Amino acid sequence: MRVSALLLAAFTASFIPLVHSTQASGHASNYSTWMALSIMYREQGVLASSTDVSALLQAGFTQKAFTRLMKQYPHANSTQAIAQYIARSVDSVVGPVGNALQDITYPMDRLSSGNGLIDQYVKTQNDADLTSLMALRESINLNTRNANGGMWYYVYKNFSYLDGMYSLAPFYTSYTTHFDAYNRSAIADMMLQLDLLWTHCTAPNDTGLLVHGYDASKTAVWADPVSGASPHVWGRSLGWYTMALIDTLELLPREVYPKEWALLLTRFSRLASAVSKAVDAYSGAWWQLLDQPGRSGNYIESSGSAMFVYSLFKGVRLGYLDNRRSGFTDVAARAYEYIVDTFVVNNGNGTLGYNGTVSVCSLNSTATYEYYVGQPINYNSVLGSAAFILASLEYESARSL
Ligand SMILES: *[C@@H]1O[C@H](CO)[C@@H](O)[C@H](O)[C@H]1NC(C)=O
Ligand SMILES: *[C@@H]1O[C@H](CO)[C@@H](O)[C@H](O)[C@H]1NC(C)=O
Ligand SMILES: *[C@@H]1O[C@H](CO)[C@@H](O)[C@H](O)[C@H]1NC(C)=O
Ligand SMILES: *[C@@H]1O[C@H](CO)[C@@H](O)[C@H](O)[C@H]1NC(C)=O
Ligand SMILES: *[C@@H]1O[C@H](CO)[C@@H](O)[C@H](O)[C@H]1NC(C)=O
Ligand SMILES: *[C@@H]1O[C@H](CO)[C@@H](O)[C@H](O)[C@H]1NC(C)=O
Ligand SMILES: *[C@@H]1O[C@H](CO)[C@@H](O)[C@H](O)[C@H]1NC(C)=O
Ligand SMILES: CC(=O)N[C@H]1CO[C@H](CO)[C@@H](O)[C@@H]1O
């Protein structure tokens, strides 16, 4: 249900002063808060109806970005409005994900609201929140798997995608530490999912990058006959996977799971180096297909680029990456500034737009070069603008040091 015109008018009236106060305070929170308020103005990241399940990833991603925003700026004028919006987004998914058998008919993206549900339940002890987050957890056990235990991303037979890991790994980890602390097999399974993708999706030519996904049965038209891997390194899917590693490192208790934690760190560091090396030297940001730099039709894509900026900065901030040797923050800052100059649109009326985000790329396709570069490019996709909020928060945090 769309918010009524009256409510929207009231919201707009309260929104513009929030933008002005963010800017007037000369605050470093400029773009992160401003983009969040713009997403709120557009009513994005909230399910429009109980059947709007294609928006589950947008909702979960918005919740994660907004939660992080509140953590970084707990005393901003906009904090209360942002908290209310997170609650609205979480409430909008509670019904739709409340049944595990229903949940397994959705892609793995369904799990992206899991962390928001946990946070809300810890605060409110609301039964409906608990029911839904337990249904999501149960749906992991019910998810169809390939012969090695790798979860299918969706209904496509034996296909696993990097994309699913951002929704799965941080939720699986946080659920286990909150509600099921002695269940080491849950953490082992979470690690297995990340591991199977890591070992099957190795990109050719020793770049250290990972391709979009693999088909365990190796029957897809695009599948590598040995590994089952798909042919190309798609920026946003690698962005999801990289963010999954860094966010899981932050959530997994290092003292309880030292070996698992160390393995995640090794892989995150390798990926951070590979991603830094794959940056486009001219723009400073990342291609839609990282393995085909400069090829005709390929372009710099705004969601994947923002995800890499976030991951590199965050890895350095948490002390997981050696910045002195590799200059990760220089790479990330340059990319961020390019993103601001190229993709952020000032509408001149208090709102910001975000351009250059590719729509869905699926492996239920030919997965050819032409397919990936031919997918439509969206304006104001939350998959780009929420990634931009996360990138901005890290940039702002690095700048304030
Ligand atoms: C809140 O808004 C007021 C009025 O615009 C401004 O003076 C103040 O600096 C803002 N506070 C913060 C924390 O942004
Ligand atoms: C916010 O960003 C805009 C656009 O870059 C800039 O003109 C303005 O000075 C910034 N405001 C603050 C307070 O940093
Ligand atoms: C522990 O996790 C495993 C793997 O997800 C799961 O199969 C099992 O049901 C969990 N045990 C409990 C008691 O929840
Ligand atoms: C790997 O290298 C070959 C030969 O240089 C090149 O044709 C191919 O496009 C590269 N593949 C990837 C995925 O980078
Ligand atoms: C601001 O401009 C954008 C783009 O033109 C438009 O979609 C939006 O409705 C406008 N918002 C306000 C508050 O005027
Ligand atoms: C978004 O980017 C496309 C391609 O560069 C451009 O044609 C379009 O005008 C941009 N949209 C806005 C609102 O800036
Ligand atoms: C997979 O692709 C086929 C062929 O384009 C299409 O008919 C089918 O609807 C797709 N499946 C899903 C679930 O999108
Ligand atoms: C090769 C492979 O992993 N095939 C699996 C595809 O998924 C079905 C359903 O789980 C399994 O039974 C197959 O082993």
Side-chain angles (χ1 to χ4, degrees):
M1 210 177 51
R2 297 290 297 180
V3 73
S4 74
L6 197 66
L7 269 175
L8 187 59
F11 179 68
T12 307
S14 65
F15 162 83
I16 300 297
L18 281 177
V19 172
H20 289 320
S21 87
T22 305
Q23 289 165 0
S25 60
H27 209 261
S29 76
N30 202 345
Y31 281 118
S32 57
T33 303
W34 195 356
M35 188 60 83
L37 292 169
S38 304
I39 288 174
M40 288 159 62
Y41 173 76
R42 290 191 283 272
E43 297 268 306
Q44 294 178 296
V46 174
L47 265 56
S49 75
S50 61
T51 54
D52 184 23
V53 290
S54 68
L56 282 171
L57 180 59
Q58 297 174 35
F61 197 25
T62 301
Q63 290 158 29
K64 288 188 194 188
F66 282 29
T67 300
R68 171 64 204 286
L69 177 65
M70 280 185 60
K71 219 180 237 175
Q72 188 156 321
Y73 302 120
H75 307 300
N77 288 324
S78 50
T79 299
Q80 202 191 347
I82 295 195
Q84 283 167 359
Y85 201 83
I86 295 171
R88 226 179 110 195
S89 174
V90 172
D91 289 344
S92 80
V93 308
V94 168
V97 303
N99 179 303
L101 286 170
Q102 182 75 41
D103 287 346
I104 51 167
T105 66
Y106 309 143
M108 232 187 238
D109 307 339
R110 66 182 183 273
L111 302 169
S112 64
S113 289
N115 297 75
L117 275 164
I118 292 174
D119 290 349
Q120 179 157 304
Y121 175 69
V122 165
K123 267 187 242 140
T124 63
Q125 303 286 304
N126 184 313
D127 284 346
D129 295 343
L130 184 61
T131 303
S132 291
L133 77 89
M134 287 178 70
L136 283 180
R137 172 63 184 85
E138 176 66 13
S139 79
I140 296 174
N141 297 346
L142 300 175
N143 203 101
T144 317
R145 292 169 183 250
N146 66 30
N148 294 320
M151 291 169 68
W152 295 15
Y153 169 75
Y154 188 31
V155 292
Y156 315 124
K157 241 177 165 291
N158 289 306
F159 293 6
S160 297
Y161 289 19
L162 299 183
D163 315 34
M165 292 301 106
Y166 181 71
S167 296
L168 175 84
F171 170 60
Y172 213 170
T173 303
S174 190
Y175 182 95
T176 304
T177 55
H178 275 90
F179 303 106
D180 209 4
Y182 297 100
N183 194 345
R184 298 193 77 99
S185 33
I187 297 302
D189 185 35
M190 181 276 294
M191 293 294 294
L192 174 70
Q193 301 310 314
L194 289 169
D195 187 62
L196 287 169
L197 284 156
W198 180 272
T199 51
H200 286 80
C201 297
T202 310
N205 300 350
D206 292 326
T207 56
L209 300 168
L210 301 175
V211 298
H212 187 178
Y214 73 101
D215 171 7
S217 70
K218 300 161 197 169
T219 52
V221 286
W222 44 255
D224 179 275
V226 178
S227 65
S230 67
H232 290 296
V233 179
W234 177 34
R236 185 158 75 232
S237 69
L238 188 60
W240 292 127
Y241 189 89
T242 310
M243 294 197 300
L245 289 182
I246 185 67
D247 284 6
T248 304
L249 274 167
E250 191 183 29
L251 292 167
L252 185 69
R254 186 177 184 169
E255 332 70 58
V256 187
Y257 299 99
K259 268 199 221 140
E260 291 83 352
W261 200 91
L263 181 62
L264 290 183
L265 177 61
T266 303
R267 291 188 169 169
F268 175 68
S269 310
R270 278 199 215 160
L271 210 44
S273 298
V275 162
S276 293
K277 271 196 210 119
V279 78
D280 171 47
Y282 180 72
S283 64
W286 287 271
W287 297 93
Q288 156 74 348
L289 289 181
L290 270 65
D291 58 307
Q292 304 290 318
R295 184 162 163 190
S296 163
N298 204 357
Y299 55 88
I300 302 296
E301 199 279 329
S302 70
S303 61
S305 289
M307 291 174 181
F308 295 135
V309 168
Y310 165 73
S311 302
L312 293 178
F313 269 132
K314 183 169 178 178
V316 171
R317 178 171 59 81
L318 297 181
Y320 302 158
L321 294 176
D322 181 359
N323 198 41
R324 273 166 313 163
R325 205 158 45 88
S326 307
F328 291 115
T329 56
D330 291 343
V331 173
R334 185 168 173 232
Y336 181 75
E337 284 153 18
Y338 178 83
I339 289 170
V340 168
D341 290 345
T342 312
F343 300 119
V344 175
V345 178
N346 186 342
N347 288 325
N349 61 14
T351 63
L352 290 179
Y354 196 72
N355 207 353
T357 301
V358 71
S359 66
V360 177
C361 292
S362 168
L363 287 176
N364 186 36
S365 72
T366 54
T368 56
Y369 177 78
E370 291 71 23
Y371 168 76
Y372 283 99
V373 301
Q375 286 299 92
I377 298 176
N378 291 337
Y379 183 56
N380 285 339
S381 164
V382 156
L383 302 185
S385 55
F388 175 73
I389 293 174
L390 289 171
S392 299
L393 288 166
E394 292 296 341
Y395 180 85
E396 291 157 14
S397 160
R399 278 297 125 118
S400 68
L401 292 179

